[in-house]
Each structure stands twice: as C-alpha cells, then as structure tokens.
Amino acid sequence: MGRKQTKSGKIRLTEVAKLAGVSPITASRFFRNPEALSLSKRERVDSAVKELGYVPNLAARALASHRTEVIGVVIPSLTNNVFADVLRGIYDSSEGSRYTIQLANTRYSILQEEKLLRLFRAQKPAGLIVTGINQTAESRAILESMNCPVTQIMEIGDSPVDMMVGFSHYDAASAAISHILEQGRRRIGFLGARMDPRVQRRFEGYRDAMKDASLFDPNLIVTTSVPTTVTLGGTLFADLLAQAPDIDAVFCVNDDLALGVLFECQRRQISVPGDLAIVGFNDLEFTASAVPSLSSVRTNRYEMGRHAVTMVIESIEGRRPQEPILDLGFQLMVRESSTPQSV
Amino acid sequence: MGRKQTKSGKIRLTEVAKLAGVSPITASRFFRNPEALSLSKRERVDSAVKELGYVPNLAARALASHRTEVIGVVIPSLTNNVFADVLRGIYDSSEGSRYTIQLANTRYSILQEEKLLRLFRAQKPAGLIVTGINQTAESRAILESMNCPVTQIMEIGDSPVDMMVGFSHYDAASAAISHILEQGRRRIGFLGARMDPRVQRRFEGYRDAMKDASLFDPNLIVTTSVPTTVTLGGTLFADLLAQAPDIDAVFCVNDDLALGVLFECQRRQISVPGDLAIVGFNDLEFTASAVPSLSSVRTNRYEMGRHAVTMVIESIEGRRPQEPILDLGFQLMVRESSTPQSV
DNA sequence: CAATCCGATGGTAGCGCTGTCAATAATTGT
DNA sequence: ACAATTATTGACAGCGCTACCATCGGATTG
C-alpha cells in the first residue's frame, strides 16, 4: 500500500495481480467469479484494483472469452413515444448490471431487421431483445441460431423464440370496444395509422368485437400506413366523418390520434363525449389532463422494458425464468371522453 | 472460386487472405484503407470476403488497434421528446458509417455524468457527443483528456471542449418574449419545469427581455424542479394565476407545459388568445393542430443529431470542420395562441 | 545507368485477457 | 491416520487482428 501508479504504462490485469501477489488468472477470476477466491485473496485483489484504478479492457476480454457483455435491442422506431418508455425501462434495468445496451432501429423495415439481426449475431451478444412476434422466417431463423437468450417484447403469442414480455393487443382493443358499447354507442369508428402488426392486432380486436355485436361496418374504418401524428388524427377523423357521418364514437389505435380527433372536434364544435366518445390507446401522460380527459388503454411499457432486461440477464446467468411468457396485461382507463357528461 | 466454406471452423481474416492469395495483413488493409491496395488484389480480397461471408471480429480489431469504432452519446433523459428527435438524427446519421452508437443516460445527474464519462474514457471511444455546455470541472477535465473528437450539443457557448452544435436558448426565449410584447401584452408569465441549464438560459432570456421593457415582476414567475408533463403545465398555471391574476400571456419553457396551460384554460373558460396568449418551446408536432394552434419556438433537433454525428465522424477521419461551433438557430412559429383572434 | 524514391506487400510480434487443465492445499469420512 | 474428495490456485497457450518495420520491384531523375 502507499504505492502509486506513476509509470507511463497503463494498468493491466498483470499489474493488479502483481500488486496483489496472485497470478493474473486469479485476478481475472476476481471479476468473473469472486466467490471462487479465498477471502484473503479476494480482499488483496480488491484493494489492488482500487489502488491502481484498474479498468478491464473489454475488447481483450471479449476476444479471449468469445463472449461480450452486450445486450442487443431491436426496436422499430425511435420517434414513437411508446418505445421511449420501453427504452427507459431497458436502460434503467441494465444500469446496475455489467451489461451494455446496444440499440438498433429497424424503422419498421423487415429487411433492415434481418440485416441488423445478422449483424448482432456476428457480434455474439450476451442477450437480445427484439420487438414483436412477427419476424420473417429468415429473421426467426437467425434468432433461433443465435446462441443467447432472446426476449420478444411488446406483445405475446404462442411460439416464443425464447421468451416474451408483453400483452394482448387484441384483448386490449376488445376491452376498449366493449367499454364503448356498454356506454350505448353503436357506430364506433376505427382510426389507425402505421398499421404495424400490433396495430393490426388491435384492429382485429375491434373488428371481432364489432362483429360479435353485429355492428361491424367497413365504412367505420379509416387507416393509413403513414406514421402517426396528432395532426393525422384530425385528418383521418375528417375522412371518417365523410364516410360515416353518423358515428357516435371513435377508437384510435393510439393517443396521438385521439388527441388529434379531440382537437378536430373542438374545431368543428362536435361535443365530446356528448356527440362523440373517444378512446385512445397507450395512456400517454397527456390523456389525463386533456379537456375532456381522454379514455385510453394503459400499457405497461416501462415495466416491459425492465422485465425484458431482467429476464435476459437472469437467463444469461443461468437462472432462466420458470415461465417464458410474461403477460403484463393492460388497464382500461375510463375518463370523461367516453362516459356520460357529468355536468 | 466455387469453393464453399464447409469446415466447422469460423472464417478468420487468415482464411480470406488464403483464398485471395494474399497475406493477412493485406486483407486487413482491404478494410481499413482499400486505396492502398492494387486494384487486382483489392478485387481478389473483395470476392474472397463475399465468398466466405467473412465478418470482422471487432473485439480483436479493437484489441490490436487500441481503437474502437464506437461513438458515445451522453444525454440527460430518455423520456423527453426533445432527445428522442436528437437521437433519431444521431442514429440515422451513424447508420451508413462504420461507427456504432453507445448511448448513456445521466438522468440529469451530474455525478452520473462524471461516472459515465469516466467509463467512456476507459473504453477509448472513437468520438463522443455530450449534452450541454455546463459540465462540472471534473467532467470537463475528463472530456479534455479524452483522446477523441467531442461534440457538445443542444446549445452553444464560448468555450467548446472541441466542437458544438446547437442554438442560443437565451436568444430563442428573447425572441419569443419580443413577439409577445409586440402583440401588446404586458403581463407575461413564465412557466418552467426541470430547470436544467438550458431551461435556465431560456429563463434568462425571458428575464432580460422583460427587464428591458421594464415589465419584470417576480410574481410572474413559476418554476419547479419536477420533470415536465402536460398535467404539470396545468398545475403551474393555476399557481401562476393565484400569484398574478392579471396576466395576459404565458411563456412556457416547453410545449408540454403549454398544452397543459391550454387545457387548464379550457377548463376555466379562459379564452386563448383572447384573455391569454400562450407560447411554448420546441415546436413539437401537436402544437400546429391544437385548438387554438400553439405558438412555439422551433428547434432543429433532428438536424442537431445529424450534424453532431457528422462532425464527430469527419473529425475522427481527419477532416475536422473549419468552424467548430455550429449554430442551428431557431424559428419562431407564430400561431393562433399568441395572435389576435381572426374570427 | 546508378542513385533515389515511392507505392505495394509481407513477416513478426504482440494487444490484454481467459479457457483448459493440471497442481496443490484443505477437508472429509472411516 | 490415510485415502478420497473438494476447494483454490496457477501455467500455458492462444483468441483474431493490426502496428511496426522490412522488403521489393518499378518509376523517376540527372
């Protein structure tokens, strides 16, 4: 003790080992499996590490061990608020751990996804988190050939590549429609933008719920492949009104569209919920303070991110979760926009 | 040609070199500096790479070269829409390049920032992008000791660590206030949440503009350190009304707050812009379709991300930009919420 | 035509760490 | 007390690539 690192040379594991009076390999084990060391050596290495301010060289570690401590995350969009929340959960959960998050963005392109997955496979990540359950056959094959835990997020289905965290978009949409029907509304419009597989599932939930009630009508439906915005909500709603002027409710596949509809109603002096009920999806923060407050379906996105990372890490470290499929469910948030006016 | 890789062994650079009939080091140069190869060898290596499906081992490369191809990005928040746009620019710009983005989130903690910077320094990134210009002395020292290009984003100032891309929050806020004053409003409230350095600068812009007009009054100011939300906008506005019932305008440090104010006005039947003008900041998408549409200050966030990456990469590759400071400016978006009612 | 230079190529020697397996010390059962 | 077993520890080799020279042929020059 009392020695200082003054030489120009950087500190390698060897230096730490020398100072601690152990072999390099023992020092190495200190990081990977400290329990395997005797208490005395562990303490000696520990203080040597601190004294020298040693930082492991990750490249060398990866090269020697044929492993990395990277968890790959593949999401389709960075713009979408929804993924921001998931990402926050992912980064928060990874923080305490030794693992690093490597983010990749497919921009909703299937080809891009395949490319990215191939890239990830080449880098041998410790784990992988991918969005959705509708990978192409090719992508799925890559995922299955990947020699690491994989968690699919955002939705759940029958045949996970490995693990899944999400909820049923179909059920969530059905629940929303049931709620609107219970309010006595009959002409329920559907507004959808960027019809990715999950939005598609919400549509199916809507469609089947309407069919079950014998209220299905193609005129009630307006969709587009354009990315979602608040402004788009207004535009689509205008289209919907043109197609079906007698609607008394609208189900929007996300809250941005719902807000756009609300604004458009204000513009056209359509009373909400008097003339029209609105229900959104995702329960973004603003829904609660809109006037009238917007009903929505709460999805546990932050938790989804957290769980996904936790499951992957546990799995990497040999504690694979009992249940590979985790259903985080949803909560219907009934607010003013879909209930009788209380004034 | 016509040979197939069937052996179990993975493809290393050596295999590529053998197939191409060159030495490994020449094959290596093919990736780093193809111009240095003769055309014939370049073609031979190229086809060997393709035939074998060779993928470089990045860990080995990093270990041997003492460099990585990672650009670190340090941002204070993942929740904030503003950073989502910047990130999109960053990821989009990095995509074509050989560089990988490594994202880290300080959650607005100075200590966390120092920790992350230290971590990055240890990993020798090829470049670094950090948020803001108010690093602690310690952080700044780390940045300066970092042996790579560094770009500070979101705002600009006098003494860049290396490079900067951003705009003047002070000027942007001043411009917003001037505009409101031009509308004949005199009692202009200030609403601020999470007073980070940039928000602080906007405040100063507001304060000085008000002082210049001899209209400054502490009662017009409501701020909090709580993270910003739409709901919070309503709450702060209620506080402001209690403090200064005679206000005729509000400048909000971001659009979420502005939307919250708008909703609160709807709730209280305060006419906008009749009784109250509202101006937000950032020009998020929804401002244009709100009723009334919300005036705001457009900031070029996506471009900021793009430029930051480009500047860093150019700099890494020896083409350092002439001007280390890039001012992306802002645009005052004047909309209904701050102009005379046109009805 | 020799002296010089330059562009293209290759040989050697690691980068810093960990996998494998052998060696040694500590512990246990009978 | 002694063999058998289990915890600790270490030696060695090598992961896949590139830095650093050395080399070599050919173009340039006077």
Side-chain angles (χ1 to χ4, degrees), chain B residues 271-292:
Chain B
S271 149
V272 177
D275 303 331
L276 186 87
I278 303 176
V279 175
F281 202 98
N282 278 328
D283 196 39
L284 296 188
E285 186 265 329
F286 64 73
T287 52
S289 58
V291 181

Side-chain angles (χ1 to χ4, degrees), chain A residues 230-273:
Chain A
V230 175
T231 307
L232 184 65
T235 315
L236 295 181
F237 179 59
D239 293 352
L240 178 59
L241 271 182
Q243 273 179 216
D246 62 334
I247 49 167
D248 55 12
V250 191
F251 173 59
C252 305
V253 297
N254 65 52
D255 290 331
D256 284 340
L257 293 182
L259 183 60
V261 172
L262 177 61
F263 285 145
E264 189 63 28
C265 287
Q266 293 180 353
R267 225 170 272 123
R268 294 175 181 238
Q269 326 241 318
I270 296 171
S271 146
V272 178

Side-chain angles (χ1 to χ4, degrees), chain B residues 242-317:
Chain B
Q243 275 180 212
D246 61 335
I247 50 169
D248 55 14
V250 191
F251 173 59
C252 305
V253 296
N254 66 51
D255 290 332
D256 285 340
L257 293 183
L259 183 59
V261 172
L262 177 60
F263 285 145
E264 189 63 26
C265 287
Q266 293 180 352
R267 226 170 271 125
R268 295 176 180 236
Q269 325 243 317
I270 296 171
S271 149
V272 177
D275 303 331
L276 186 87
I278 303 176
V279 175
F281 202 98
N282 278 328
D283 196 39
L284 296 188
E285 186 265 329
F286 64 73
T287 52
S289 58
V291 181
S293 57
L294 292 167
S295 298
S296 192
V297 179
R298 173 169 295 174
T299 57
N300 307 294
R301 301 179 296 280
Y302 178 79
E303 288 307 317
M304 213 180 293
R306 289 197 67 97
H307 282 290
V309 171
T310 309
M311 285 165 80
V312 164
I313 292 181
E314 292 288 290
S315 205
I316 293 169
E317 304 188 338

Side-chain angles (χ1 to χ4, degrees), chain A residues 52-96:
Chain A
L52 297 174
Y54 169 74
V55 180
N57 180 322
L58 301 182
R61 184 180 282 177
L63 180 59
S65 67
H66 305 278
R67 285 189 266 101
T68 62
E69 286 173 349
V70 170
I71 296 176
V73 175
V74 180
I75 58 167
S77 164
L78 272 167
T79 320
N80 202 321
N81 287 321
V82 166
F83 291 106
D85 291 333
V86 177
L87 277 184
R88 205 158 42 84
I90 288 176
Y91 276 91
D92 281 3
S93 269
S94 72
E95 212 149 272

Side-chain angles (χ1 to χ4, degrees), chain B residues 12-13 28 32 54 60-61 64 67:
Chain B
R12 307 196 306 290
L13 192 53
S28 166
R32 292 174 293 146
Y54 169 74
R61 184 179 283 178
R67 283 189 267 99

Side-chain angles (χ1 to χ4, degrees), chain B residues 45-77:
Chain B
V45 175
D46 186 49
S47 66
V49 165
K50 289 202 176 107
E51 187 173 339
L52 296 173
Y54 169 74
V55 179
N57 181 321
L58 301 181
R61 184 179 283 178
L63 179 59
S65 68
H66 304 278
R67 283 189 267 99
T68 62
E69 286 173 348
V70 170
I71 296 176
V73 175
V74 180
I75 58 167
S77 164

